[in-house]
Amino acid sequence: PLRPGIPLCERNMAEQQVATTSASVNADDALYHMNVPMFGIGKTHIQDGDVVVIFEKFDRLTTIVVKRGERYASPYGMFLHESFIGMPFGSQAPSMHGTGFVFLLRPTPELWTLSLPHRTQILYLPDISMIISNLRVRPGSRVVECGTGSGSLSTSFIRSVMPTGHLFTYEFNESRYKAATEEFQRHGLSRYVTTHHRDTVTQ
């Protein structure tokens, strides 16, 4: 705060400068979140249709899409999806009857790897970290991946190349190709990845 002895004109100029700086920072934040929507990184509160990772315990994580009218059944109780809407990510959500609780986490590539539906065997974080480091994947890189599989490595690739790079991923199995494409769209990552249904060995 400014000292009372500062002339009014100087005080007004200082306040205007602070306001301008604050607006610039907020604009930069908004631009960053607009260009880097990794799993809704700019979001602070859960909305209808959001992807949420439910953390029950260290070895039990589940990914859901929040939808009004649906329920989530857990050993820790029954949870209404509607009760999640409006809660900040990271909140502890009590069950309908107060018998237990779960934590509602915003998805990240790390959490996605631990909670994704397995369509194939997947790579886990130690291997993913080494691959991305050895390949020197960074923002702006253009990466070609042969074998989308369950999308574990793909999602980390996408996060690494954003916001100006792109992932081109190929999957020969049609059902896995379609499932991965839908997941990328649902997670808001489509602009950073192009999926192809093709056998890269024979075609």
Side-chain angles (χ1 to χ4, degrees):
L2 298 172
R3 296 191 303 273
I6 295 179
L8 182 60
C9 60
E10 294 183 14
R11 192 181 309 178
N12 289 340
M13 290 176 61
E15 290 175 351
Q16 184 177 3
Q17 184 176 5
V18 170
T20 302
T21 302
S22 176
S24 176
V25 170
N26 290 337
D28 289 343
D29 286 345
L31 181 62
Y32 174 81
H33 292 319
M34 179 179 68
N35 290 332
V36 190
M38 168 59 67
F39 286 64
I41 194 171
K43 291 187 176 182
T44 57
H45 292 69
I46 298 170
Q47 301 175 6
D48 191 18
D50 280 350
V51 178
V52 175
V53 176
I54 296 183
F55 180 95
E56 298 178 27
K57 56 180 182 176
F58 76 94
D59 60 349
R60 186 180 173 91
L61 291 84
T62 306
T63 302
I64 66 166
V65 178
V66 175
K67 296 180 180 178
R68 292 184 183 275
E70 294 196 6
R71 301 184 178 193
Y72 176 74
S74 160
Y76 301 97
M78 185 71 70
F79 299 84
L80 292 175
H81 283 211
E82 290 184 16
S83 67
F84 299 157
I85 298 174
M87 298 184 72
F89 282 104
S91 296
Q92 183 185 92
S95 65
M96 292 174 58
H97 304 293
T99 56
F101 60 85
V102 296
F103 290 96
L104 308 176
L105 307 181
R106 182 176 59 80
T108 64
E110 292 80 11
L111 289 176
W112 177 243
T113 290
L114 296 175
S115 61
L116 58 76
H118 285 222
R119 297 182 287 270
T120 59
Q121 291 184 330
I122 69 170
L123 291 177
Y124 287 92
L125 303 179
D127 294 321
I128 291 173
S129 300
M130 180 170 289
I131 291 170
I132 290 177
S133 176
N134 288 345
L135 291 177
R136 299 182 181 180
V137 179
R138 57 188 182 275
S141 294
R142 294 167 68 84
V143 178
V144 176
E145 177 190 35
C146 299
T148 312
S150 300
S152 176
L153 177 60
S154 309
T155 304
S156 288
F157 270 144
I158 294 170
R159 199 256 307 271
S160 297
V161 304
M162 292 164 65
T164 56
H166 202 83
L167 172 68
F168 301 88
T169 182
Y170 293 80
E171 174 58 49
F172 80 93
N173 181 280
E174 185 175 5
S175 62
R176 292 200 293 264
Y177 154 75
K178 290 181 178 179
T181 301
E182 291 172 359
E183 286 169 352
F184 294 143
Q185 292 173 346
R186 187 163 61 243
H187 297 164
L189 305 176
S190 296
R191 75 178 76 173
Y192 306 108
V193 57
T194 301
T195 55
H196 297 274
H197 177 220
R198 183 184 300 177
D199 187 340
T200 58
V201 175
T202 61
Q203 297 182 5

